[in-house]
Amino acid sequence: MSIRTIIFVFFLSYFAVFAQETELRIIFAGDLMGHTTQINAAQREAKGKGYNYKPFYQYFKSYFSAADLAVINLEHTLAGPPYAGYPQFSSPDESIFAIKDAGFDLVATANNHSLDRGKQGLERTVSVLDSIGMKHFGIYRDTAEKKANYPLIVEKNNIKLAFLNYTYGTNMLVEEEPNIVNRIDSAQILTDIKKAQNESPDFIIAFMHWGNEYENKENEAQRELAQFMALNGVNMIIGSHPHVVQPLGKIYVPGYKDSVLVMYSLGNFISNQRDRYKDGGIIFEATLLKNEHRTKVINHGYVPFWVYRFTKDKGQTFRLLPDCKANEPPCKGYKMKPEDRAAMKLFFEDTNKNLPNLQKKSIN
């Protein structure tokens, strides 16, 4: 074989390997709540024509839509009227329509409010999500539906992902047969991980509804469960439920080249909760790289946001605001009260302090 042929074969092999590399950017959002004030605000934004939640997310829509995949925790039912907030949520369908319009692709549905409206609420929630083509995972109308759709397998950019979802409980409500809500149970989780592995995914992600509400640090039970899942093959773990941001953890698995990232709690996505730590949240983002050897996280970070509640048209409404100064858009577009500016500033300071090992990113 000539030198020219050897060089040609080398470069052909090099570019063949290079061509196999592909990336995927995935983002995760926390608790999509449905308090009564949110329902009333959406009705007001619609100006007498139903409900309009879209303005709430107007400053983040381009950011959400730019991700290859965007995942959110749906923490209210779509059970139909009468609509109500806490303690047993049912929001208008427009709530999820706005989330899809904003750029979200997947919905985690197993949480402590999954059974707020019983069998009818669970089944209608699933039906509404199916009707708009929104992929979801965590609750099911029956065993056959779960068997056919869980774990949720999604392929994008030639990267095959498997999604798992579990909740610690359902506020002492029990599902009616044949409905299923995925609950945290180590034996069942192990079975589901093995089922996911049988699909030969490149990456397994677990979205967990766990932890203690309003605590800024994860508890021992969260750490133990995360360790269990990581040791058994889960590659990334995302948490919800505490309604406040909790730290990022990293688990090192023997024989596995990359640490398993655990975002213990993303905080609220949008809600009417106004107390310190509860009035905002983060978007966790990760870029996956797949090559002929493995799929790994090559970049990760967070985007913080604050939920601004203000008066409009003689009532309350909402906007997600990025970390911006008073003279910067979009903040400069509002005549924000001093106490609101102080609350927003405090939220961003608290969040940054609680995530010292995570890179802060911008929506631009």
Side-chain angles (χ1 to χ4, degrees):
M1 185 182 294
S2 68
I3 296 296
R4 181 177 296 179
T5 302
I6 293 173
I7 293 173
F8 174 77
V9 171
F10 171 80
F11 277 105
L12 188 66
S13 301
Y14 174 82
F15 285 112
V17 170
F18 182 79
Q20 290 177 3
E21 287 195 339
T22 184
E23 292 185 10
L24 180 146
R25 190 167 72 91
I26 185 169
I27 64 174
F28 301 89
D31 303 323
L32 174 61
M33 306 302 295
H35 291 110
T36 301
T37 308
Q38 294 170 250
I39 297 170
N40 293 341
Q43 188 173 36
R44 195 172 296 108
E45 294 280 4
K47 301 185 185 302
K49 297 181 180 180
Y51 299 85
N52 182 15
Y53 290 82
K54 294 179 182 180
F56 298 177
Y57 318 120
Q58 65 185 78
Y59 304 121
F60 280 80
K61 180 177 178 179
S62 60
Y63 168 74
F64 297 150
S65 300
D68 294 309
L69 285 175
V71 189
I72 194 168
N73 172 49
L74 177 62
E75 198 156 358
H76 61 256
T77 69
L78 302 168
Y83 303 125
Y86 184 83
Q88 293 185 313
F89 296 97
S90 180
S91 290
D93 298 348
E94 287 85 350
S95 171
I96 201 66
F97 297 167
I99 289 301
K100 183 174 183 181
D101 176 78
F104 284 90
D105 307 288
L106 310 178
V107 178
T109 52
N111 56 68
N112 58 307
H113 290 286
S114 298
L115 296 176
D116 279 1
R117 293 297 179 91
K119 186 173 188 291
Q120 184 271 338
L122 182 148
E123 294 187 352
R124 190 178 187 281
T125 298
V126 171
S127 294
V128 171
L129 293 172
D130 287 344
S131 73
I132 62 172
M134 181 71 86
K135 293 182 182 298
H136 55 92
F137 55 113
I139 63 173
Y140 303 92
R141 283 171 288 211
D142 54 39
T143 302
E145 183 174 73
K146 179 177 178 178
K147 184 177 180 180
N149 297 284
Y150 191 77
L152 176 66
I153 305 296
V154 177
E155 190 162 355
K156 190 73 178 285
N157 297 358
N158 197 36
I159 296 179
K160 189 175 185 180
L161 305 173
F163 289 91
L164 305 172
N165 180 212
Y166 305 92
T167 178
Y168 73 93
T170 51
N171 295 343
M172 296 184 289
L173 298 173
V174 179
E175 57 266 49
E176 295 183 41
E177 292 185 357
N179 295 170
I180 298 171
V181 177
N182 284 354
R183 298 170 188 272
I184 293 173
D185 175 87
S186 57
Q188 185 61 54
I189 291 173
L190 185 58
T191 297
D192 294 341
I193 292 173
K194 290 179 179 178
K195 183 180 178 184
Q197 290 169 332
N198 288 338
E199 297 290 334
S200 300
D202 299 301
F203 214 75
I204 301 176
I205 300 172
F207 205 120
M208 308 300 295
H209 206 72
W210 60 1
N212 296 330
E213 287 186 316
Y214 318 129
E215 291 188 2
N216 298 95
K217 304 293 182 183
E218 78 279 6
N219 61 33
E220 184 61 27
Q222 286 170 276
R223 289 191 292 270
E224 289 179 357
L225 183 56
Q227 184 84 4
F228 169 81
M229 289 187 290
L231 290 174
N232 283 286
V234 173
N235 305 110
M236 182 184 292
I237 302 166
I238 306 296
S240 63
H241 175 62
H243 301 295
V244 297
V245 177
Q246 293 181 343
L248 174 76
K250 296 182 179 181
I251 299 174
Y252 298 92
V253 179
Y256 183 58
K257 294 182 179 180
D258 310 301
S259 59
V260 173
L261 299 179
V262 187
M263 190 64 240
Y264 281 105
S265 175
L266 300 167
N268 283 322
F269 177 67
I270 192 166
S271 79
N272 190 49
Q273 294 184 328
R274 307 309 303 162
D275 295 333
R276 184 179 180 182
Y277 306 116
K278 307 175 192 176
D279 52 347
I282 67 167
I283 303 297
F284 179 75
E285 63 173 64
T287 299
L288 307 182
L289 172 69
K290 177 184 176 181
N291 56 34
E292 81 280 13
H293 300 298
R294 68 186 193 277
T295 301
K296 62 180 180 178
V297 178
I298 58 169
N299 190 13
H300 63 281
Y302 74 101
V303 173
F305 58 85
W306 187 64
V307 180
Y308 180 33
R309 187 184 71 183
F310 63 99
T311 300
K312 178 186 177 185
D313 299 331
K314 300 181 180 180
Q316 300 290 305
T317 193
F318 300 84
R319 295 291 186 274
L320 296 193
L321 293 181
D323 190 353
C324 52
K325 297 179 181 178
N327 61 346
E328 295 176 341
C331 290
K332 73 175 185 179
Y334 297 95
K335 296 180 179 179
M336 199 176 291
K337 297 176 182 178
E339 56 267 34
D340 287 332
R341 290 199 181 280
M344 180 173 69
K345 182 174 182 290
L346 182 61
F347 174 78
F348 289 129
E349 289 175 349
D350 286 338
T351 301
N352 295 338
K353 289 178 183 177
N354 207 26
L355 299 172
N357 61 340
L358 192 55
Q359 181 185 5
K360 181 179 175 183
K361 295 178 176 286
S362 169
I363 64 173
N364 298 318

